[in-house]
Amino acid sequence: MPLGGEQVPQNLDAVAVRAWCGLALDALGGAREEIDAINVYPVADGDTGTNLYLTVESASQAVDAVFTGLEPARPSLAEAVRAMAHGALIGARGNSGTILSQLLRGMAQVLGADRDTAHADGPALALALRRAAESAYQAVARPVEGTVLTVAAAAADAACDAGDDSDCGAVARAAYDSACRALDATPEQLAVLGRAGVVDAGGRGLVAVLGALVGALSGQTVLSPYGKTGASGGHARVEPVEPAEPVECQDIPADAPAPAFEVIYLLEADDTAVARLRTRLDGLGDSLVVVGGDGLWNVHVHVDDAGAAVEAGVEAGRPHRIRITHFGAGDAHTAGAAQPPRERAQRAIVAVVPGEGLAGLYAEAGATTVPARPGEPPASGELVEAVRRAHAREVVLLPNDAELRHTAAAAAEQARTEGVRVALIPTRSAVQGIAALAVHEPDRRFDEDVVAMTSAAGATRYAELAVAERQSWTMAGICQAGDVLGLIDGDVAVIGDDTTRTARSVLDRMLAAGGEMVTLVLGEDVPDSLGDELEKHVREVHLAVDTVVYRGGRQSALLLIGVE
């Protein structure tokens, strides 16, 4: 598969694990819709990409937490890979996410065996990939070829054949290339894929994760062979490719009845009890995957009797985070008796907001807010919880940050499975969100309201002022630590040494293209006099332009600027 860039040999250490998590999250975020679209096995419920994203998001957060907790020191490789595996285990979603969590656990069993090792070499990574594939096969009650298991096994075989003198970058590349070939062959191995003309969705997700590993280890950019260039009607379609070795095609009858429920829960239990549980659940349904160990397990199964699956967990140990999805109804709910739900509102706004002042402003406009703390962007789970709090049939989601586009998309997809109609407006700044809120009319038809809000947000240029933390090259030249940076639409456009002068320069550049309204949001450490000075400047220099000033409270930017 095509790779670009120069190879930089590197062993696997904790920093590389963290980079792998971030790159994998970006890759799955970009491919999420594509993977969801080709999800036809074991159930065509269109959520494999979303489930993989949420699983890796949990793994990435766990690794970040280890780094933060040990600052200024760095975690060992063992601490990083164990955190990654544990985060994936507790956050695993769906069949594919559960299997991915076991793949990561298998790797952690090898790479985390020595608590004091700073890094792993190529042969160790190959052994870890082999253990990952073996443990994934063991976790699935009835393994089926032509799935993510086949792709994982092919990756492991190639990694082990790479040679004892190969570094981690070479091992990862070999695993990735072999995984791509195995993925291309999945329609020839699993008839349901061949009939649909798609590759396996879980395997496609694993290819994205392995491509991220290549990037983290070798510094190379992996150019995915899938996506728009290989899509047909939103499905990644492939020409039949003969497998390296003949594999009997496994046919799943097209009219085979699917179980009504997906049941997932974490379980605290010993190995003996889990062995009995596997047998019990295998008799209740299919797609059984039980992963984990050391007293904590993640259980996934498709059944018609969800209550029996939960009761089996109670008999085995202590189940928690129980999640039951009804495939037929397309909604998700937890087990247990519930009170009759209160009446839903017709429409609500959910917005990510930096700063208490802006949160109050958004709340006054009727929005349910999610705080965005500096350096701590909200996870998709927080956005889903906010949608639930809004308790509406229709929700407009405003992420207000370009970096949250994948997180917000995953949250929207999850909320849709719970019966909520969600529209995601890709606002890149809180000032664009303010513009969208200004034209929101809850009595208007949903589609018309979304179009109007999207148009208002898109017509708002945004800027912010920030202080440079270190010397760096920018689009406006080289900045030094302590310089005031003026960013317009996400790019550094002005470098200055004074907040007021830099802000005036940014405003003049933005208003040179026209504008009728300027919105200023002052950060916590910015005096009111800055707002007064900028409002005066706009009034004197840019005629017929109105200015409104808000207090943002604690936020990462000194100043937010919007021009409509």
Side-chain angles (χ1 to χ4, degrees):
M1 293 301 152
L3 297 169
E6 296 297 325
Q7 180 182 358
V8 181
Q10 180 179 345
N11 287 322
L12 180 65
D13 59 11
V15 173
V17 170
R18 192 182 199 183
W20 180 22
C21 287
L23 291 173
L25 200 58
D26 286 343
L28 288 171
R32 182 187 60 79
E33 291 184 357
E34 171 208 333
I35 297 172
D36 282 348
I38 64 173
N39 174 201
V40 298
Y41 180 83
V43 176
D45 50 355
D47 63 358
T48 292
T50 299
N51 286 338
L52 287 169
Y53 179 88
L54 295 173
T55 301
V56 173
E57 181 183 55
S58 181
S60 180
Q61 290 172 345
V63 174
D64 285 343
V66 168
F67 271 82
T68 301
L70 293 176
E71 287 180 346
R74 287 181 177 175
S76 65
L77 172 62
E79 289 170 325
V81 295
R82 288 176 179 176
M84 185 181 189
H86 181 74
L89 174 66
I90 64 174
R93 302 292 289 270
N95 186 71
S96 55
T98 307
I99 292 175
L100 177 61
S101 75
Q102 187 69 359
L103 288 167
L104 297 178
R105 178 177 173 81
M107 293 186 70
Q109 288 174 338
V110 174
L111 300 175
D114 186 344
R115 295 177 179 270
D116 299 322
T117 298
H119 59 79
D121 57 14
L125 177 58
L127 182 60
L129 290 169
R130 167 61 64 206
R131 177 60 188 138
E134 292 173 348
S135 63
Y137 269 93
Q138 293 166 2
V140 177
R142 300 179 185 274
V144 174
E145 295 303 329
T147 65
V148 62
L149 297 175
T150 308
V151 176
D157 288 343
C160 291
D161 290 342
D164 292 341
D165 57 347
S166 298
D167 65 11
C168 284
V171 169
R173 280 196 309 276
Y176 171 78
D177 289 343
S178 183
C180 287
R181 291 191 292 271
L183 178 63
D184 287 340
T186 55
E188 292 294 295
Q189 296 172 291
L190 193 56
V192 67
L193 301 179
R195 285 193 294 267
V198 299
V199 296
D200 179 65
R204 170 67 182 91
L206 179 58
V207 163
V209 172
L210 289 173
L213 181 60
V214 174
L217 290 171
S218 66
Q220 294 181 327
T221 300
V222 177
L223 306 178
S224 171
Y226 306 98
K228 292 182 179 179
T229 57
S232 176
H235 294 246
R237 297 182 179 272
V238 298
E239 294 297 324
V241 178
E242 290 297 326
E245 298 180 3
V247 178
E248 180 181 357
C249 182
Q250 301 193 36
D251 194 7
I252 308 297
D255 57 352
F261 298 97
E262 177 184 59
V263 179
I264 305 174
Y265 49 80
L266 290 178
L267 178 69
E268 296 176 17
D270 59 36
D271 292 1
T272 302
V274 169
R276 291 195 300 267
L277 176 65
R278 288 179 191 270
T279 302
R280 173 85 179 276
L281 292 178
D282 191 34
L284 288 175
D286 58 30
S287 298
L288 173 61
V289 185
V290 181
V291 302
D294 301 321
L296 181 62
W297 308 81
N298 192 305
V299 179
H300 170 280
V301 67
H302 294 173
V303 295
D304 284 319
D305 189 344
V310 174
E311 289 173 5
V314 173
E315 293 175 4
R318 189 178 78 85
H320 51 105
R321 293 198 187 183
I322 300 169
R323 183 175 183 82
I324 301 172
T325 301
H326 183 201
F327 291 126
D331 61 351
H333 53 84
T334 55
Q339 298 297 321
R342 60 185 172 91
E343 182 67 21
R344 287 180 178 269
Q346 181 60 34
R347 188 173 309 160
I349 308 295
V350 172
V352 179
V353 182
E356 296 89 339
L358 278 179
L361 176 67
Y362 272 73
E364 288 177 8
T368 298
T369 62
V370 179
R373 297 166 292 275
E376 299 179 32
S380 57
E382 293 179 69
L383 301 186
V384 173
E385 287 300 323
V387 171
R388 291 171 182 155
R389 290 200 313 273
H391 202 64
R393 297 183 181 89
E394 302 166 340
V395 169
V396 179
L397 182 57
L398 306 175
N400 291 340
D401 187 339
E403 297 299 321
L404 290 178
R405 62 190 186 281
H406 297 324
T407 300
E413 187 64 30
Q414 177 59 36
R416 292 183 188 115
T417 69
E418 301 182 8
V420 182
R421 186 182 185 187
V422 181
L424 171 61
I425 298 179
T427 49
R428 302 164 67 89
S429 170
V431 290
Q432 288 188 323
I434 291 173
L437 274 177
V439 300
H440 166 54
E441 293 184 14
D443 294 332
R444 188 162 45 191
R445 288 182 59 250
F446 184 64
D447 291 340
E448 294 176 354
D449 200 28
V450 171
V451 168
M453 295 176 71
T454 302
S455 178
T460 302
R461 299 187 66 196
Y462 65 96
E464 69 176 71
L465 260 60
V467 177
E469 296 181 355
R470 62 183 68 86
Q471 185 185 61
S472 178
W473 170 257
T474 75
M475 296 290 291
I478 298 176
C479 69
Q480 305 296 328
D483 282 349
V484 180
L485 306 180
L487 294 86
I488 299 177
D489 294 336
D491 294 322
V492 176
V494 179
I495 300 174
D497 56 10
D498 177 79
T499 300
T500 302
R501 287 196 297 270
T502 304
R504 282 201 298 260
S505 178
V506 169
L507 275 170
D508 290 342
R509 289 188 179 217
M510 297 179 75
L511 288 169
E516 299 176 353
M517 169 71 75
V518 171
T519 300
L520 303 175
V521 182
L522 308 182
E524 181 183 33
D525 298 326
V526 174
D528 291 334
S529 59
L530 175 63
D532 297 336
E533 175 67 27
L534 295 178
E535 186 174 9
K536 177 182 177 183
H537 176 75
V538 171
R539 185 172 59 252
E540 294 177 348
V541 178
H542 303 280
L543 301 179
V545 177
D546 295 325
T547 303
V548 60
V549 181
Y550 300 110
R551 268 285 172 191
R554 288 195 300 272
Q555 58 186 37
S556 56
L558 288 175
L559 175 70
L560 296 177
I561 302 173
V563 173
E564 304 174 49

